[in-house]
Amino acid sequence: MPRPVPTTTLAGVEIFEGYLDRDTQEALVSDLRDVVAQAPLFAPKTRFGKEMSVRMTSAGRYGWFTDACGYRYIDAHPSGTSWPPIPKRILGIWRALASKEREPDCCLINFYGETAKMGLHQDRDEADFGWPVLSISLGDEALFRVGGTERGGKTQSIWLRSGDVVVMGGAARLVYHGIDRIKFGTSPLLSQGGRINLTLRVVD
Ligand code: MD6
Ligand code: FE
């Protein structure tokens, strides 16, 4: 299969709008319920001591974590249990759009409730920026802001919807990006509302 063409490109960030159909989205939610049953969502604190508004957990060899010691990858859930494997269906999306050469080491799962957001950041806790980062949006719409590789540059925004996939690679691997807000209740996928974002990365 040739690689699909992005429907939109924003500062080099590729967006595949509507890439996942509704059945696939539902199957992913079911996969994630199994992951969260083994590795429950938690609300991490940044190194500044502030609790993040998203709740998170991970699957894979590594999970992303933050506390007073800073941002890093850790090899077990904070409870001590190992991170569950990344569901096969998620690896298939990575293979189709990100890389057939290597599988991701981490699938970070972020859950956004009604008031959650994510400040502008770069994904730079990985060893090799030659590998892309892929993200999957499920549930409510979210306003995604993309800037350049320097903080304070001009930014552009796009609404991400359930089933959209984003790939940040090449010259766009280190662009600043964040979620300004979600539009709660805009998707029927999650019965209680909210949004899930999955980010897949090669870590080391
Ligand atoms: C989000 N996304 O969509 C936040 N990071 O909730 C990210 O932080 C992100 O979409 C790296 C690559 C793609 C992304
Ligand atoms: Fe990110």
Side-chain angles (χ1 to χ4, degrees):
M1 272 271 282
R3 184 173 185 265
V5 177
T7 52
T8 304
T9 302
L10 224 56
V13 175
E14 298 178 317
I15 306 171
F16 299 83
E17 289 155 297
Y19 183 74
L20 305 170
D21 64 25
R22 174 67 195 239
D23 285 353
T24 305
Q25 295 170 40
E26 282 177 8
L28 285 168
V29 171
S30 161
D31 292 341
L32 294 169
R33 287 197 202 288
D34 295 340
V35 170
V36 170
Q38 293 174 67
L41 293 166
F42 56 91
K45 285 207 174 96
T46 67
R47 72 194 140 95
F48 311 109
K50 196 176 174 317
E51 193 167 277
M52 291 183 73
S53 60
V54 298
R55 290 190 296 143
M56 64 176 61
T57 189
S58 292
R61 286 203 303 131
Y62 292 111
W64 189 83
F65 190 67
T66 172
D67 64 8
C69 301
Y71 307 135
R72 63 196 183 278
Y73 286 96
I74 57 176
D75 55 20
H77 186 272
S79 68
T81 183
S82 50
W83 302 111
I86 300 175
K88 291 270 182 327
R89 210 183 312 274
I90 296 177
L91 294 176
I93 300 165
W94 169 272
R95 239 173 268 130
L97 297 181
S99 172
K100 292 178 177 49
E101 283 162 58
R102 210 185 137 162
E103 291 196 341
D105 300 311
C106 172
C107 173
L108 172 66
I109 300 161
N110 280 142
F111 177 77
Y112 292 73
E114 189 157 5
T115 58
K117 54 190 165 58
M118 182 156 319
L120 277 181
H121 66 276
Q122 292 172 300
D123 281 36
R124 55 175 315 143
D125 301 318
E126 301 75 30
D128 181 354
F129 301 136
W131 296 103
V133 180
L134 178 148
S135 100
I136 298 170
S137 292
L138 296 168
D140 289 339
E141 293 172 23
L143 189 56
F144 184 56
R145 183 186 291 272
V146 178
T149 52
E150 307 282 330
R151 192 179 270 290
K154 78 163 176 53
T155 63
Q156 294 169 277
S157 296
I158 185 172
W159 285 95
L160 293 180
R161 299 193 173 79
S162 197
D164 292 355
V165 179
V166 173
V167 178
M168 240 176 239
R173 175 62 180 76
L174 289 174
V175 299
Y176 278 89
H177 58 280
I179 296 289
D180 288 352
R181 60 194 154 90
I182 73 163
K183 224 188 262 177
F184 191 77
T186 45
S187 164
L189 187 70
L190 305 174
S191 54
Q192 309 292 307
R195 172 174 185 264
I196 296 168
N197 178 258
L198 308 176
T199 41
L200 302 172
R201 309 96 184 273
V202 169
V203 172
D204 58 9

